[in-house]
Every structure is written in C-alpha cells, then in structure tokens.
Amino acid sequence: MGIFPDEVILQILARLPVKPLFKTKTVCKLWYRLVSDKYFIKLYNEVSAKNPMVLIETSGSPESRSSLVCVDNLRGVSEVSLDFLKDRVKVRASCNGLLCCSSIPDKGVYYVCNPMTRDFKLLPRCRERPVTRFYPDGEATLVGLACDVSKNKFNVVLAGYHRTFGHRPDGTFICLIFDSDSNKWKKFVSHRDDHFTHMNKNQVVFVNGALHWLTGTCSYILALDLDYDVWRKISLPDEVSYGTGNRVYLLDSDGCLSLIQISDAWMNIWVMKDYEKEVWYMVGRVSLRCIRGLVPGIFPIAQTGECIFLATHKQVLVYHQKSRVWKEMYSVKNSASLPLWFSAYAFRSTIFPSD
C-alpha cells in the first residue's frame, strides 16, 4: 500500500467525509472492503463522534421537497438532499448519523435514513393505527430515534396522549416502539401529565440505552428505558432554576447527558457523569458578553467537550471552549419564514454496518 503503514492509511481514511470515503472504494480491493470492515467502521464512527455537526432543515414552497444544510466545524457548510426518499418529509429526530423522517402528505408513514450514504428504510405501518388518534392533531407528541451503531440496530419511538374519537384526552399516554431487529412495532400504555415545548421535542438525547426529553416546565427529564419499556424521571441539578431570562436545554456531550443553562450574561454547562446515581457536575461557565445582542434568541444545538454549536434566527455559531472564541459558521441571507433553531438537529457522520 505504498510508503505509509496500513494503520496510518486507516487513520487518514477514517477522517474523510462519507461521500469521498465511498469513492475510494474504486482505488483497490483492500479499500473496497474497508467500508464493510468491522474494525474500520468502529474506528470511523469513533473519530466522527468527536466532530459534531448541525443539520438544518430548509424548505421553499409547501410543495417542494425539503433539503438540509450541514454545518461542519471542520469542513464548513454543504447541502444534503433527501430526494432519495421520493417523498416530501419532515425530519423528526436525529441520532448517531441516522434521521427519522415523517411523510408530510401521508400521515403515519416514517423513514429512517442515513443522509450521507443515502441508505433508508421505510418503516412498516403499525397494525392498530393508533397514530391517527394522538392528541391534539393526530401527530405523536414525542418522536425519538435510538441508534446503537455498535449493535447495528435502531429503535423509533412514537409517544403521545390518546384521544378516543369524540372524547377529551384522559391522560392515557401511548408509546409505540419500532425495533429494527424484529422489524415490528410494540406498544405499551401508561398515564402521564407531561408537557413539552417545540425545542424540548427536538432535543431528544439517546444515552445509556434510554431516550431523554426535558419537560416543558424544565422541572425534570423524562427518560424511556428501551431495555425495559418503562418511563422514569431524572432530576435536574439543584442549582438549575427556570425563570425569567433563564433557559435550559438538553444535549448530548460525548455520550453523557448534558444541560446548558442560559441567562442574560452567562451560559452554564452541566454534565451527568454518574448516570446511575444521577450526579451532575458543572463543567463550564461561558460569558455571553461578546454576543449580548443575540442572547434572547440563541439556542444550543450540539456539543462536545471542545465546542458548542448554537443557532439563532439566521445564524449558526460555534464556541470553542479552549480558545474561548466565537465564530459564525453559517448565515441565512434571505428572510426565512422560520428561525434556524426551529429545525436544527445535532448530527454526526457515521457508517451504519450493512447486514
């Protein structure tokens, strides 16, 4: 393979974007086999986990298909198309390189896709069709995607309050879980009284085998344990208070639950380093003085220990924690109807092993 040792070649290839990586398959037989080699896939996904991105859903007219803008800290901005789905869709959740999308014209139809490799799966419809009975508009309140790359499997969760036709919702909370191994849906019912804002719904975090949502009142985190099909509540740090000019957001931070608390002048970063004992640590405190005018409309989207991506109405910013430098990564020139943060998702480029 030339003058470089094989391991050096692997390390170089593991840092390529997915599209150029797949083009290297034509170089030689060894490189052709790489993208399906378990060791290389593991290496590639470990490297990509350290490079978070932001995917922003953009759309023109209601009849046009959505397109995505990918904001990459290392490689800049690029466009990603979902035209391979042959449907008008809305992104509902993102996890470890996969997206869960719902069909706009055909309610109840869901896809899971890798927008970089353009692989996708159309999920089978649920037999009971309770999707059409979710309150208030037939759409599930919570949509979650749990992608476990190491086990080559994923789950899709649709959860929401049930309304019998002609009756008011009675607190019945239906949860539908799709399992890629069995290719089937399962259902369990509970009674809950939780409410969620738009950002709460968007920022679902998959860590420790569970999906997590921050509730609308920011009083606790609602977690769904996918191994045992049970909901549980996780407490927030005692110091986190929700009030005027003080906002809280739930993110992933290198595989741990993280809270980002934003006030007028400061951004506090919390990480749950002991999941079983629910122990939170404040790992950072960032002055917002440099971006004071943007603070009321700024929303954290993705992070690692090194940087944080935040979206405003028309910009995506990145804050580098070591150098304490703010940088504008993307800006919308036209007058977009919806702010960027409304449809921004944490993302990373991964190879999902094929069967």
Side-chain angles (χ1 to χ4, degrees), residues 313-343:
H313 193 100
K314 291 189 175 185
Q315 298 164 288
V316 174
L317 307 176
V318 63
Y319 175 75
H320 296 275
Q321 302 205 57
K322 288 183 179 178
S323 61
R324 299 181 181 179
V325 171
W326 292 89
K327 181 181 176 183
E328 181 184 285
M329 291 293 298
Y330 175 70
S331 178
V332 177
K333 304 302 182 214
N334 59 3
S335 55
S337 57
L338 292 173
L340 292 182
W341 55 260
F342 192 83
S343 54

Side-chain angles (χ1 to χ4, degrees), residues 163-189:
R163 179 180 63 178
T164 307
F165 184 75
H167 294 78
R168 292 184 176 183
D170 57 4
T172 302
F173 201 67
I174 290 183
C175 184
L176 302 169
I177 304 175
F178 175 80
D179 183 275
S180 63
D181 284 346
S182 66
N183 198 41
K184 292 179 180 178
W185 292 90
K186 58 182 175 180
K187 167 185 169 183
F188 75 94
V189 179

Side-chain angles (χ1 to χ4, degrees), residues 146 148 151 153 155 157 177 179 186 188 206-211 223-231 275-276:
D148 191 331
K151 295 180 180 178
K153 67 168 290 184
N155 296 102
V157 171
I177 304 175
D179 183 275
K186 58 182 175 180
F188 75 94
F206 175 59
V207 296
N208 291 85
L211 287 165
L224 174 61
D225 187 317
L226 291 167
D227 291 326
Y228 299 100
D229 297 345
V230 292
W231 296 99
Y275 187 81
E276 298 303 321

Side-chain angles (χ1 to χ4, degrees), residues 263-322:
S263 64
D264 291 338
W266 294 95
M267 179 167 66
N268 295 334
I269 305 161
W270 298 81
V271 172
M272 180 178 279
K273 294 189 176 180
D274 189 329
Y275 187 81
E276 298 303 321
K277 296 181 180 178
E278 297 186 11
V279 178
W280 293 94
Y281 294 89
M282 187 191 287
V283 297
R285 183 169 167 83
V286 180
S287 171
L288 300 178
R289 189 175 302 169
C290 294
I291 58 165
R292 183 180 297 161
L294 298 174
V295 170
I298 200 165
F299 296 82
I301 305 297
Q303 70 169 335
T304 65
E306 296 181 359
C307 63
I308 304 172
F309 284 90
L310 302 101
T312 68
H313 193 100
K314 291 189 175 185
Q315 298 164 288
V316 174
L317 307 176
V318 63
Y319 175 75
H320 296 275
Q321 302 205 57
K322 288 183 179 178

Side-chain angles (χ1 to χ4, degrees), residues 33-68:
R33 293 195 299 267
L34 264 186
V35 293
S36 56
D37 177 77
K38 288 184 179 179
Y39 172 78
F40 180 74
I41 289 173
K42 182 173 182 289
L43 174 65
Y44 187 91
N45 291 338
E46 285 174 353
V47 170
S48 72
K50 299 173 184 175
N51 180 38
M53 310 175 199
V54 170
L55 276 186
I56 300 165
E57 191 173 26
T58 61
S59 60
S61 65
E63 291 76 27
S64 64
R65 288 178 180 165
S66 294
S67 61
L68 302 171

